[in-house]
Amino acid sequence: DVAPSRGLGDVYKRQVIKTVKGFGGSACWWSPQVKSEKTAHEIANLLYGDDGLRMNIYRFNVGGGYEKDNLRIENPWRYIESFMNNDGSFDYSKDKYAVNMMKKCLSLGNIDTLIFFANSPHFTQTVTGQTSGGFTEHFSNLDKSKYEAFAKYFIDIAEHFSAEGYPVKYISPINEPQWKWGGTSVWQEGCHYEPQEVYDCFLAFAKELEKRNFSLKLYGPESGNIKDHTKEYYKLLSSNELIMKYLDVFAYHSYGSDDNVSEKAEFGKWAKENIKTPRFDMSEWCELPCKNDTKSIESALIMARIIGEDLIYTGVDSWSAWVCANQWDNAVRDGKCFSDGFIVAKDDFSDYYVAKRYYAMAHFSKCIPNGSKSLDIGFNTSRGFSVFAFERADGKKVIIAVNNSKAKRTIEFDKAFGECLFIETTQAYEFDKSEMQNVKKLVIKPKSLVTVILK
């Protein structure tokens, strides 16, 4: 069964949407668990090495710390020790395995964007003395008298690592402010903020940065989706000149709109008309809830589609996954694993494997170098078939096709391309390469992900 062809026409004449600034992931939760030097080297290369995903964005989690007798989070993968001691002094020997992993990934030479982000302020700056949110839902756990202390503490940490030679570019003090974070059931670090509290927090950080001769910029507020208060956050932040002096990146997370590309396109139109920060990033996504197991092609197809839709229809500058690795033991249902990372690991990393969605990122991060242009090829993601186009700095065109239907699909061009590198991922194999000549039509198999690099 072959569905009607999708004609791309003359891809050389397509309108440029954005310059792509890269791809990345978060080191949150997993990096402190990698204690073997051999394993750390392997994981770093899989994610940031030339032979791996070759990603260029690294989100390092600045943990809020904890007191063992005042801790409600049960999973040790969901809370992180802090560099700051209870008395306000700093001990940078803490969280050493996460720092070691960051160092190994940076040493591979591909990272140009290092972001320090916090899920919660330090526990001594919270109302509850815990990093898991308030005792009631939707209650800001950051003590109103500790905004300045939070800013000083976080910027002190960033300045320390910068002085050590780590190229910290951005700090992101808030993560998904609209979620309830807290209440009777808690599962990880998190802190709720009302819109005005988001503004107050960013203003405290901007004022502290203004006092220091430091090139650090603000990133955020990492809204949990494109709905809720996201536009309100930007309206509030952009109303203050000092905040905008330091807010280099307005960033959000792409949850809640996986099956609504029109919603993404509408938000992208608003963003293009309103957002004036130098960068507009999609800084976190995973399949939520995760309905496809880690070894299924569907898990890769949905991630590839979301990456393409966010780049093309929402018009973001960069795209980052939530976690690069996640737990094997905590995600098994009916004999299958539903972990949401690129890599799936035992709790102590004594064993791990590469998930199918790893190759979804590979089709983008390995084929669309930083500085490529995203191209407008028309609004059409119907019937399980999506096509996205990019132009690289070397002049080559990159077409990424996601076929989540049960029929073959074809793509036709106005003219033949002399050379073509055809890369395909299906249930049976991953990132399989072949070369083609004089290409005018491409056949995309059912349930497959294809990248073609045309010259």
Side-chain angles (χ1 to χ4, degrees), residues 17-303:
I17 297 171
K18 279 287 185 71
T19 297
V20 179
K21 293 183 173 68
F23 304 90
S26 161
C28 198
W29 313 134
W30 62 273
S31 58
Q33 320 303 329
V34 188
K35 298 176 173 61
S36 159
E37 279 292 300
K38 178 178 179 293
T39 303
H41 176 77
E42 293 169 355
I43 299 295
N45 276 280
L46 277 169
L47 298 171
Y48 289 94
D50 286 340
D51 293 330
L53 291 178
R54 205 186 302 146
M55 298 188 297
N56 67 300
I57 300 170
Y58 194 98
R59 294 179 70 222
F60 178 84
N61 176 225
V62 177
Y66 55 92
E67 290 182 312
K68 288 185 177 179
D69 59 355
N70 189 28
L71 177 67
R72 292 193 293 157
I73 306 169
E74 295 182 359
N75 186 348
W77 272 53
R78 297 295 185 268
Y79 55 89
I80 305 293
E81 63 180 347
S82 173
F83 299 116
M84 190 173 81
N85 299 314
N86 296 10
D87 62 1
S89 62
F90 289 88
D91 180 358
Y92 288 102
S93 68
K94 291 183 175 181
D95 205 15
K96 63 180 181 180
Y97 296 111
V99 174
N100 183 57
M101 177 56 70
M102 174 174 61
K103 184 176 181 179
K104 284 190 178 300
C105 292
L106 284 165
S107 71
L108 297 172
N110 289 320
I111 297 172
D112 60 24
T113 304
L114 177 58
I115 305 156
F116 276 24
F117 80 100
N119 288 307
S120 167
H122 191 270
F123 73 88
T124 61
Q125 297 158 358
T126 67
V127 175
T128 62
Q130 302 175 0
T131 60
S132 52
F135 291 133
T136 58
E137 297 177 0
H138 296 98
F139 171 80
S140 177
N141 199 31
L142 174 57
D143 190 316
K144 293 291 187 293
S145 68
K146 299 292 179 66
Y147 279 72
E148 184 178 338
F150 179 32
K152 287 180 177 178
Y153 139 84
F154 202 168
I155 295 170
D156 281 347
I157 292 170
E159 283 191 329
H160 167 81
F161 280 97
S162 181
E164 290 286 310
Y166 294 85
V168 186
K169 199 168 187 177
Y170 304 112
I171 54 171
S172 177
I174 292 176
N175 187 69
E176 299 183 343
Q178 69 265 61
W179 298 156
K180 63 181 183 180
W181 301 125
T184 57
S185 176
V186 297
W187 60 96
Q188 67 164 74
E189 288 187 355
C191 187
H192 174 80
Y193 298 81
E194 290 297 315
Q196 184 61 44
E197 292 168 333
V198 169
Y199 172 89
D200 292 342
C201 184
F202 269 79
L203 182 57
F205 271 78
K207 286 179 177 179
E208 186 62 29
L209 287 170
E210 184 75 357
K211 295 176 184 177
R212 310 188 189 203
N213 185 22
F214 192 32
S215 61
L216 196 68
K217 295 292 186 179
L218 290 170
Y219 190 101
E222 306 212 49
S223 175
N225 59 34
I226 60 178
K227 297 171 283 191
D228 297 334
H229 301 289
T230 306
K231 293 178 182 179
E232 185 180 359
Y233 297 147
Y234 185 78
K235 183 178 179 180
L236 283 168
L237 296 174
S238 63
S239 70
N240 186 281
E241 289 185 7
L242 185 60
I243 291 176
M244 293 306 286
K245 178 179 177 180
Y246 291 99
L247 183 62
D248 242 28
V249 187
F250 185 75
Y252 79 101
H253 298 170
S254 191
Y255 296 114
S257 301
D258 290 358
D259 298 316
N260 195 336
V261 69
S262 297
E263 194 169 65
K264 293 186 178 190
E266 181 182 344
F267 183 71
K269 183 177 184 294
W270 173 86
K272 183 177 181 181
E273 294 171 351
N274 291 276
I275 294 177
K276 305 304 179 188
T277 51
R279 278 179 67 159
F280 172 42
D281 282 11
M282 201 306 293
S283 54
E284 182 183 310
W285 179 89
C286 68
E287 186 184 349
L288 187 68
C290 192
K291 298 178 181 178
N292 296 293
D293 69 270
T294 56
K295 296 183 179 181
S296 68
I297 186 61
E298 283 79 7
S299 67
L301 294 174
I302 185 174
M303 173 170 273

Side-chain angles (χ1 to χ4, degrees), residues 8 11-12 363 367 392 394-401 411-413 415-424 432-444 450-455:
L8 287 190
V11 292
Y12 284 100
H363 276 261
C367 301
R392 305 196 325 185
D394 60 10
K396 294 180 180 178
K397 297 296 187 293
V398 180
I399 307 298
I400 297 180
I411 300 173
E412 297 182 0
F413 304 105
K415 63 180 181 181
F417 288 87
E419 299 176 17
C420 169
L421 177 61
F422 189 90
I423 306 168
E424 187 177 40
D432 187 64
K433 298 178 182 179
S434 60
E435 294 185 358
M436 304 168 66
Q437 305 293 324
N438 298 316
V439 176
K440 196 170 186 298
K441 184 169 74 171
L442 297 166
V443 177
I444 313 299
V450 169
T451 295
V452 290
I453 302 174
L454 301 161
K455 183 178 179 181

